[in-house]
Amino acid sequence: MHKRLLFQTVHEPQPGQKWRDLCALHWPAYEQWYLSETERERPGYLACYNALQRHMPELVPTYERLCELAGGGDLVSRLLSLYRPPAYITGCSQAVLSNPDNNMLVRNYDYPPELCEGTILYSRWNGRGVIAMIDCLWGVLDGINEAGLSISLAFGGRRQVGDGFGAPIILRYILECCDTTPEAIEVLRRVPSHMAYNITLVDAEGRYVTAMVAPDRSVTIRRVPVATNHQKRIEWYAHALASETLIRERQLSILVGDESTTPTRLLSAFFVPPLFRSDYRHGLGTIYTAAYYANDRCAVYHWPGKSLSLSFDHFEETSLEVQYVQRSVATK
């Protein structure tokens, strides 16, 4: 079984033609996904707009501009709000290595390749430069801003779905509006998430947390540097078994708990099992590894045999194709 994904970097400080082209490319797939539970299950435009205005007002001008670029249609505008979207489930492992010399966030994104946009976007929408792997056209799977604040998400291993936003737009909001971990914590406490997610972040001062968000209970903020796909305890046993969430969490905890672990050693662990996964047939294979260096304000993306370094001073537009093979991965 072979699957391919084209990754590309896009440099566009303000939303324009490049974003419009991305929207046109991905919209057919997103429209199908958004309507997968029928249109009646999705909130109306006014509810979407009002929720965004209430919880993340700083994003509204950018949201309005993106809706305009997307053609101003009702359905695409509702989707772009990411308010009460359809449920989606990922794998993912993430860890922070924080010491006087290094403040580093590393993550593996485990997901079906055919459902990943593969776009790394440099933007400057609200006065802060942001480099991020995007999802749902402007949301964030993981990323860093000019202040060095770095963030990533992982599915929280619970099936509950409720009133709130898709996690990618919450991460976008944090990178657009926050410089530090304490500021990000305040956002995570007040902006509702429609599903359970573990959100790990670190800032340039080395302050790190993992926030466990959910639609049916208050957010839990823990000063732990690792997260996989469960929260305080296993609640969805079939998913926990298939994703090996406990095994991966233990591996990461051992690594970051060892004072001799270097950034190179931690990063290398993400390239091999159990952290690196190749079960692409069931949508649990590793799509990419991202490393964010808070002190240096830079990002490095990795695939087997290939890497891409980006920073706010040097962001080159390029593309590369990755081929995913069950049990092994090769880069073309």
Side-chain angles (χ1 to χ4, degrees):
M1 185 204 69
H2 297 258
K3 295 184 179 183
R4 290 179 172 83
L5 176 59
L6 182 68
F7 284 87
Q8 60 179 324
T9 58
V10 176
H11 185 283
E12 190 174 55
Q14 296 300 317
Q17 187 60 47
K18 293 178 182 178
W19 186 89
R20 189 201 305 266
D21 292 343
L22 287 172
C23 182
L25 175 64
H26 295 297
W27 171 244
Y30 275 120
E31 181 180 25
Q32 183 178 9
W33 169 70
Y34 196 65
L35 298 177
S36 60
E37 299 171 336
T38 76
E39 185 176 352
R40 294 180 61 182
E41 293 298 316
R42 304 279 66 82
Y45 170 74
L46 190 59
C48 294
Y49 183 89
N50 287 343
L52 201 62
Q53 180 69 56
R54 176 185 177 187
H55 295 286
M56 296 179 278
E58 297 90 339
L59 289 187
V60 170
T62 300
Y63 168 73
E64 292 175 336
R65 173 59 175 158
L66 296 180
C67 289
E68 178 186 358
L69 287 169
D74 174 77
L75 198 63
V76 70
S77 299
R78 290 155 65 188
L79 180 144
L80 286 171
S81 75
L82 275 181
Y83 177 59
R84 287 166 46 194
Y88 44 85
I89 298 170
T90 64
C92 309
S93 307
Q94 51 204 32
V96 168
L97 186 65
S98 180
N99 57 48
D101 300 316
N102 301 285
N103 291 304
M104 171 192 189
L105 171 63
V106 189
R107 71 98 103 257
N108 273 0
Y109 184 63
D110 302 343
Y111 204 55
E114 63 272 18
L115 300 181
C116 181
E117 286 183 42
T119 301
I120 305 166
L121 177 66
Y122 173 103
S123 62
R124 186 180 293 276
W125 294 340
N126 292 279
R128 289 177 181 82
V130 173
I131 295 173
M133 187 73 74
I134 66 171
D135 185 58
C136 296
L137 301 171
W138 70 309
V140 170
L141 296 173
D142 45 77
I144 186 172
N145 68 18
E146 277 188 319
L149 185 63
S150 306
I151 193 167
S152 67
L153 62 81
F155 174 57
R158 304 179 68 236
R159 288 190 264 194
Q160 285 77 5
V161 178
D163 187 29
F165 293 90
I169 199 170
I170 300 174
L171 268 62
R172 166 64 67 183
Y173 183 49
I174 288 171
L175 291 181
E176 295 290 337
C177 299
C178 302
D179 290 334
T180 67
T181 295
E183 292 173 2
I185 290 172
E186 291 306 308
V187 169
L188 292 166
R189 289 191 189 280
R190 66 176 178 81
V191 178
S193 171
H194 88 305
M195 289 188 69
Y197 274 88
N198 298 328
I199 298 171
T200 301
L201 53 105
V202 63
D203 63 19
E205 299 299 319
R207 292 169 292 196
Y208 62 84
V209 296
T210 291
M212 298 178 177
V213 302
D216 58 339
R217 58 194 186 196
S218 299
V219 61
T220 298
I221 306 294
R222 302 180 64 191
R223 195 174 186 276
V224 295
V226 305
T228 51
N229 302 124
H230 61 281
Q231 296 191 328
K232 296 179 180 179
R233 58 185 175 85
I234 299 297
E235 297 184 54
W236 186 358
Y237 289 91
H239 182 272
L241 183 62
S243 67
E244 298 181 315
T245 180
L246 290 174
I247 295 172
R248 290 181 288 116
E249 181 189 50
R250 176 175 171 78
Q251 174 80 352
L252 288 174
S253 297
I254 291 172
L255 281 167
V256 299
D258 185 344
E259 294 183 357
S260 66
T261 295
T262 63
T264 299
R265 181 186 176 196
L266 177 62
L267 182 61
S268 297
F270 280 81
F271 302 155
V272 296
L275 301 180
F276 187 93
R277 296 170 56 76
S278 58
D279 188 5
Y280 302 103
R281 181 176 293 111
H282 297 103
L284 292 172
T286 299
I287 307 302
Y288 65 88
T289 302
Y292 296 100
Y293 299 87
N295 298 72
D296 297 326
R297 277 70 166 175
C298 69
V300 186
Y301 300 90
H302 299 269
W303 303 265
K306 194 81 171 182
S307 64
L308 179 63
S309 298
L310 302 168
S311 70
F312 295 99
D313 295 327
H314 183 75
F315 189 101
E316 179 183 356
E317 290 195 314
T318 187
S319 63
L320 61 93
E321 184 183 68
V322 177
Q323 178 175 292
Y324 300 94
V325 182
Q326 190 75 14
R327 299 187 180 280
S328 64
V329 181
T331 305
K332 294 181 66 177

